[in-house]
Amino acid sequence: MEVADIFHRHGAAWRAAHAGHLSLGQLKVMAAIETCRTAALGGHVEACEDCGHSRIAYNSCRNRHCPRCQGAAAREWLAARQADLLPVGYFHVVFTLPAEIAAIAYPNKAVIYDLLFRAASEALLTIAADPKHLGARIGITAVLHTWGSAMTHHPHVHMIVPGGGIALDGERWVSCRPGFLLPVRVLSKLFRRLLLAKLTEAHAAGQLQFFGDHAGLSEPRAFAKFLAPL
Ligand SMILES: [Zn+2]
Ligand SMILES: [Zn+2]
């Protein structure tokens, strides 16, 4: 079964039940996935010049969210990342937006997802460069997930980090201790601090929008109070 099959069967009813809560972008993605490689997008005839055999092929939607269209792109991405791998062990680090911030991220996706990436990467790079810890410049591959396994809005970044980095003088490779990259508590403390500072900056620059229950947060003091317990 594919996502398109689920949309064909339940899409219309789901859209009716959530009318008014779906963005134009979301509706466009659903329409693209539902019509991908069906007669709705038109088609073309592919014919073999040698044997004369022909068949009708329906056009693809090419939407970046369509699993049918993106399968090949995902395989190419994976192969290219595998080619980047160093002959060392790798660590998996996850940074998650606190639930309170996830709630205001929904109408501020571009700004807050960008802050999430920057706070997470700055935290990792800073602690790794600290001579008290690794004392090296590390590399990171980061991927954003906006949904958790329970299919709720749960933005987090997965980071794949090699178990070592280049010494700050650029002269040699510094390996981490076996099985231990960086102290998680130190990382998460710095991540929170950076994230909250960046949110405050974005708020001051007028980059955040608030709706519904959160409308009052456009006032700077209310926003500071909202962030204070985090
Ligand atoms: Zn498609
Ligand atoms: Zn994930």
Side-chain angles (χ1 to χ4, degrees):
M1 176 176 289
E2 293 185 34
V3 175
D5 300 321
I6 297 171
F7 281 7
H8 283 141
R9 220 171 289 173
H10 305 289
W14 188 81
R15 281 189 294 271
H18 292 82
H21 293 278
L22 295 171
S23 68
L24 185 60
Q26 289 167 327
L27 294 172
K28 279 185 179 167
V29 170
M30 286 190 83
I33 291 174
E34 282 175 33
T35 53
C36 184
R37 288 181 215 170
T38 67
L41 290 190
H44 49 274
V45 178
E46 290 175 344
C48 172
E49 288 179 2
D50 291 326
C51 75
H53 176 77
S54 71
R55 63 173 187 139
I56 295 172
Y58 293 124
N59 295 336
S60 312
C61 73
R62 299 216 180 100
N63 189 287
R64 62 184 285 262
H65 300 280
C66 174
R68 211 174 263 171
C69 288
Q70 296 308 323
R75 281 190 295 276
E76 275 166 34
W77 184 88
L78 196 62
R81 298 293 74 71
Q82 275 171 337
D84 289 340
L85 290 179
L86 302 171
V88 299
Y90 275 75
F91 289 82
H92 179 211
V93 186
V94 180
F95 290 93
T96 303
L97 271 189
E100 295 83 350
I101 307 300
I104 59 165
Y106 205 71
N108 293 292
K109 294 185 183 71
V111 174
I112 294 189
Y113 292 168
D114 180 54
L115 295 187
L116 169 61
F117 267 111
R118 287 196 287 128
S121 57
E122 275 179 48
L124 256 179
L125 292 170
T126 305
I127 305 297
D130 188 334
K132 283 204 304 284
H133 299 294
L134 186 64
R137 202 153 56 85
I138 56 163
I140 305 169
T141 298
V143 175
L144 174 71
H145 278 181
T146 55
W147 297 86
S149 47
M151 297 304 280
T152 51
H153 184 232
H154 176 70
H156 55 286
V157 283
H158 289 267
M159 291 185 156
I160 303 298
V161 187
I166 296 168
L168 301 180
D169 62 10
E171 292 297 311
R172 62 194 176 87
W173 177 261
V174 180
S175 283
C176 69
R177 282 189 264 148
F180 180 84
L181 180 64
L182 294 166
V184 172
R185 273 176 52 96
V186 178
L187 277 176
S188 56
K189 250 178 91 175
L190 180 59
F191 167 66
R192 286 258 170 156
R193 190 155 64 72
L194 290 168
L195 183 71
L196 297 181
K198 289 175 194 303
L199 279 166
T200 305
E201 273 171 40
H203 189 279
Q207 294 171 341
L208 300 176
Q209 291 183 298
F210 301 99
F211 301 96
D213 292 350
H214 292 114
L217 295 180
S218 47
E219 209 273 312
R221 265 179 310 177
F223 190 63
K225 221 171 133 189
F226 171 79
L227 295 185
L230 298 179

